[in-house]
Amino acid sequence: MIQTIRNAWRVPELKKKMLFTIMALLIFRLGSAIPVPYIDGESLRTYLDSQSGTILGLMNAMSGSAFSMATVFALSIQPYINSSIIIQLLTVAIPALERLQKEGGEEGRKKIASITRYTTVAIALLQGFGYYTLVNSYGLVNGGALNKFWVGTVIVISFTAGSAFLMWLGEQITEFGIGNGISIILFAGIVSRFPRMVMDGFNGFQTWLVVNAGTAGLMAKNKDMTEEVAQQYINALKPSALAPWTLALIVVGMLALVVFIVYINNAERRIPVQYAKRVVGRKMYGGQSTHIPMKVSMAGVMPIIFAQSIASLPATVCGFMGITEKSEGFGGGMMRLFDTTKPFYSVLYFLLIVGFSYFYSTMAFNPIEVANNLKKNGGFIPGLRPGKPTADFLIRVLNKITMFGALYLSVIAIAPIITGNLVRYSSLAIGGTSVIIVVGVALETVKQMEAQMLMRHYKGFLE
């Protein structure tokens, strides 16, 4: 990957694209540090740090902590992602949109892109209003003597404008930069949290040194401290202490996770296809062999995002109502049941990932349509008759691949949660989702760089 970036930097045109992408990401990070007026950012950050197992925690991770700081880019590109998913699902449910996508050509794609943009603004308005309602209900709005309507309007419009600007910035990166702009922005937001994660690990190791030194070591540094106070201080530090072997286990586990994701991300089942020879006029067509690539990770990270959103919904609703795990009654029971440290949450999370993997794979790959297209073009899978037998075979293969892909996603998503609970390291709570997105975007961007360099260095048949 590093060698590919070096080679791309030597190409003037690719160098300009890389510089444009870097400047766009700098603008993104700058906007992620500009706070929205009238919101108490410090108190909000303290509150959202305790909501790591909810939808709010997921949005905070995807925005690079901008959500917890109430900045202009707090909503990040989540409204655009949600809008794209909604429009993609509607193209299957609404025949007019399906015809526009398949038969509209370039004009149809432009119309769908325009619909997606308008939907993004609408979703950003709703999420911005929800954000304002959240901070207002906890008394985190500092409008002073100003009109509440004016304060709320400024906050909602600021969030909406930030999300719309990021959507435009992502499109500019796609057109003038390197890679998919929306994915690059999401990648930058997640990677920006890594230094904080490293610092948390370093602070945990320093805390372990203090705890390991015992009351005698603590009293030696603080001569005015009594033994009872020193013991109480050490007991308070123990939950956040990280032993060196635990840190080593986390580092090795993250590296193994990256290797596993890279391996599965490139894995695919290739189904051989043979095209029959046919004569059209004086020319003969067909006769060549090819294959149908079916990726193991066909659904990508979407099943994890959907599953985490649904699994954390009860805790999110209870959090809005001010209910905690120590509360009595039904609400407190729900918070304890859907706690990320409990087995019930992990089991539900696992089942939701499997279910959404099948759903999204069915949306992304239609075996019946593929079989019909093969039949129309004179193609067939060796040993199978065109039409229904081919479709049935593709369905069986799709089910097997989807099950393996669902188990892969479940392991990636649940393993960091279990590890984080065992070592009491909360920064790993959404590590699986983050690592899949980061590795996937990095691989896709490098592939695009290699393709563009190959295109520019290809000499053709003239030389």
Side-chain angles (χ1 to χ4, degrees):
M1 180 184 294
I2 296 176
Q3 187 62 36
T4 301
I5 296 175
R6 286 179 179 176
N7 294 335
W9 188 261
R10 296 190 185 103
V11 181
E13 188 175 349
L14 289 180
K15 183 178 180 179
K16 291 180 181 179
K17 289 188 174 185
M18 293 173 68
L19 289 174
F20 181 87
T21 304
I22 293 173
M23 290 301 299
L25 293 181
L26 287 177
I27 293 173
F28 164 63
R29 292 309 304 162
L30 179 63
S32 299
I34 300 175
V36 171
Y38 309 127
I39 295 181
D40 186 359
E42 291 297 329
S43 301
L44 179 63
R45 187 181 306 142
T46 303
Y47 168 73
L48 289 179
D49 284 342
S50 63
Q51 303 292 319
S52 58
T54 66
I55 297 177
L56 302 179
L58 176 63
M59 295 185 67
N60 189 38
M62 297 301 175
S63 64
S65 300
F67 189 83
S68 62
M69 296 187 292
T71 64
V72 176
F73 293 158
L75 299 182
S76 188
I77 50 147
Q78 291 299 317
Y80 181 82
I81 294 176
N82 296 334
S83 174
S84 300
I85 294 172
I86 291 172
I87 298 301
Q88 185 178 4
L89 295 177
L90 289 179
T91 53
V92 180
I94 301 177
L97 286 177
E98 186 176 8
R99 288 194 301 269
L100 192 64
Q101 184 184 38
K102 293 182 178 180
E103 304 172 6
E106 184 64 25
E107 190 65 28
R109 285 190 290 271
K110 288 182 179 179
K111 288 183 179 180
I112 290 181
S114 179
I115 294 172
T116 304
R117 293 191 192 98
Y118 287 122
T119 308
T120 299
V121 175
I123 293 176
L125 283 170
L126 290 175
Q127 290 187 353
F129 179 74
Y131 199 121
Y132 167 72
T133 304
L134 171 67
V135 295
N136 189 46
S137 62
Y138 281 90
L140 303 179
V141 178
N142 299 325
L146 295 175
N147 190 337
K148 288 186 176 180
F149 177 79
W150 166 254
V151 172
T153 301
V154 170
I155 292 175
V156 173
I157 289 180
S158 298
F159 288 142
T160 305
S163 182
F165 178 80
L166 282 184
M167 176 181 63
W168 174 82
L169 189 64
E171 292 176 350
Q172 300 306 305
I173 294 176
T174 303
E175 185 174 357
F176 302 107
I178 293 290
N180 182 283
I182 301 300
S183 300
I184 292 293
I185 290 176
L186 188 60
F187 171 89
I190 295 174
V191 169
S192 66
R193 288 171 57 90
F194 285 2
R196 180 182 176 184
M197 184 176 174
V198 173
M199 286 302 300
D200 288 343
F202 180 72
N203 293 335
F205 176 68
Q206 287 187 321
T207 303
W208 178 83
L209 292 177
V210 174
V211 172
N212 196 49
T215 55
L218 193 61
M219 291 172 63
K221 293 183 178 180
N222 301 276
K223 296 182 179 180
D224 297 334
M225 184 177 290
T226 62
E227 184 176 357
E228 182 180 357
V229 174
Q231 187 61 46
Q232 292 177 355
Y233 184 73
I234 288 177
N235 292 336
L237 290 178
K238 281 183 179 180
S240 58
L242 275 178
W245 52 85
T246 304
L247 275 175
L249 178 63
I250 291 173
V251 173
V252 172
M254 293 295 288
L255 293 177
L257 200 64
V258 171
V259 173
F260 183 51
I261 292 173
V262 171
Y263 179 77
I264 298 296
N265 194 72
N266 294 326
E268 61 183 19
R269 168 73 183 275
R270 297 181 177 180
I271 301 176
V273 175
Q274 184 74 33
Y275 284 91
K277 293 181 179 180
R278 54 195 176 95
V279 178
V280 180
R282 295 183 179 181
K283 294 183 179 181
M284 180 176 290
Y285 296 91
Q288 73 270 21
S289 299
T290 182
H291 64 271
I292 301 175
M294 298 179 67
K295 293 184 69 65
V296 174
S297 59
M298 190 179 301
V301 76
M302 286 303 171
I304 295 181
I305 295 178
F306 286 160
Q308 189 167 19
S309 298
I310 293 179
S312 60
L313 187 60
T316 304
V317 174
C318 292
F320 282 157
M321 300 172 64
I323 300 174
T324 63
E325 295 179 2
K326 298 180 180 180
S327 301
E328 299 292 336
F330 179 77
M334 288 288 289
M335 288 291 290
R336 291 187 289 271
L337 182 64
F338 285 91
D339 185 7
T340 55
T341 61
K342 299 297 189 297
F344 177 80
Y345 179 87
S346 297
V347 173
L348 178 63
Y349 196 18
F350 173 84
L351 295 176
L352 286 173
I353 290 175
V354 173
F356 280 118
S357 295
Y358 274 95
F359 172 76
Y360 204 85
S361 297
T362 304
M363 299 285 296
F365 186 87
N366 189 343
I368 298 176
E369 184 177 352
V370 173
N372 291 335
N373 291 335
L374 286 176
K375 186 177 180 180
K376 291 178 182 177
N377 295 314
F380 62 92
I381 299 175
L384 294 173
R385 298 179 61 183
K388 190 175 185 304
T390 300
D392 293 339
F393 173 76
L394 292 176
I395 290 173
R396 290 196 301 269
V397 174
L398 179 64
N399 289 334
K400 292 178 182 179
I401 291 179
T402 302
M403 175 54 70
F404 185 84
L407 293 177
Y408 148 74
L409 289 176
S410 301
V411 170
I412 295 297
I414 294 177
I417 294 178
I418 296 175
T419 306
N421 292 333
L422 290 177
V423 302
R424 296 184 178 91
Y425 192 50
S426 60
S427 297
L428 288 176
I430 54 173
T433 310
S434 303
V435 174
I436 290 178
I437 294 175
V438 168
V439 173
V441 173
L443 289 176
E444 188 64 30
T445 305
V446 170
K447 285 181 181 179
Q448 289 191 22
M449 285 185 182
E450 292 175 347
Q452 293 192 27
M453 284 190 296
L454 181 63
M455 180 179 64
R456 284 166 175 79
H457 290 89
Y458 184 69
K459 297 181 180 180
F461 297 104
L462 297 178
E463 300 181 11

